[in-house]
Amino acid sequence: MKKIFLLAVLAGGLAFGQSKKVVASDVHWWGYKVAKSEASSHEGTVKVKSGDMVMKGNQLVGGSFVLDMTSINATDLTGEYQQKLNGHLKNGDFFEVEKFPTATFKITGVKKNNDKVYNSLVTGTLTLKGKTSPITFPAKISYSKGVVSLVSNKFSFDRQKFDVAYKSTMQDVFVKDDIDMLVKVTAQ
């Protein structure tokens, strides 16, 4: 009886995949003013609070990540200007982190991409400020010795789909809707 149970557990793990816990991450963002250029942008980081990647054999098939929105930080400024921008990003003008302290990304599919560097297209749903929208981005995915690594190419999403809008109507005209991101995640 024990052998049958053990066999069922092993077969179930193979059928549904093996979950790997996120052990390292680097999530970088860029936001733009009127013209989408480096000269008119701000950039920074946000921390991954938790996450997992699900492997079936040596293929990534799923997973989810929780972003700690309270950790959003502008890295292109220092001192008082950095503090002001960080406060601005965290308050009701943009991400409302007191009300929405986390955002989540759930992988719903991974398929082969014809790019030599970014060998996969990752599709999933981003939930930010209580709103969910699909996102697809190219990524380099590798798996070796029990460690899976996902490195995205820079990709964009429309902040307006998540009600991330400068509450002053005139001011929102001066901020581009696109937010660019680059994600690096390692799970073991």
Side-chain angles (χ1 to χ4, degrees):
M1 189 63 148
K2 288 182 184 178
K3 288 181 182 178
I4 293 173
F5 177 72
L6 183 58
L7 187 60
V9 169
L10 288 173
L14 292 174
F16 297 111
Q18 183 181 23
S19 182
K20 303 281 185 179
K21 184 178 178 182
V22 170
V23 294
S25 62
D26 179 22
V27 178
H28 204 90
W29 58 264
W30 291 263
Y32 303 94
K33 294 179 186 172
V34 178
K36 186 176 176 179
S37 72
E38 287 185 28
S40 69
S41 70
H42 287 295
E43 63 182 89
T45 58
V46 63
K47 293 180 181 175
V48 174
K49 187 174 186 174
S50 62
D52 68 333
M53 289 195 264
V54 179
M55 302 298 293
K56 191 170 184 181
N58 63 355
Q59 300 296 314
L60 179 66
V61 295
S64 62
F65 310 99
V66 178
L67 299 174
D68 178 1
M69 295 307 294
T70 66
S71 74
I72 195 164
N73 182 44
T75 57
D76 63 314
L77 300 171
T78 58
E80 181 184 343
Y81 292 108
Q82 181 187 39
Q83 290 174 358
K84 283 182 180 180
L85 180 56
N86 285 348
H88 189 51
L89 292 170
K90 292 176 183 181
N91 72 23
D93 285 338
F94 287 101
F95 293 101
E96 295 182 82
V97 300
E98 278 192 24
K99 189 175 178 182
F100 304 100
T102 61
T104 58
F105 180 74
K106 182 177 180 180
I107 297 172
T108 57
V110 179
K111 62 184 182 179
K112 188 167 176 56
N113 189 15
N114 290 328
D115 189 287
K116 289 181 181 178
V117 175
Y118 299 100
N119 58 353
S120 299
L121 281 176
V122 177
T123 300
T125 55
L126 177 63
T127 302
L128 182 60
K129 291 183 67 176
K131 298 195 177 354
T132 302
S133 187
I135 291 182
T136 299
F137 58 86
K140 177 182 176 183
I141 299 173
S142 58
Y143 183 61
S144 177
K145 298 179 182 178
V147 178
V148 61
S149 172
L150 181 151
V151 178
S152 78
N153 195 357
K154 190 185 269 190
F155 64 96
S156 299
F157 68 90
D158 182 349
R159 66 184 174 83
Q160 295 288 353
K161 290 182 178 180
F162 303 95
D163 196 27
V164 177
Y166 200 156
K167 298 307 177 199
S168 168
T169 308
M170 244 349 248
Q171 292 293 330
D172 203 42
V173 172
F174 296 111
V175 179
K176 286 289 187 189
D177 289 344
D178 289 342
I179 295 175
D180 288 348
M181 292 193 81
L182 190 125
V183 178
K184 297 177 185 176
V185 183
T186 303
Q188 191 170 358

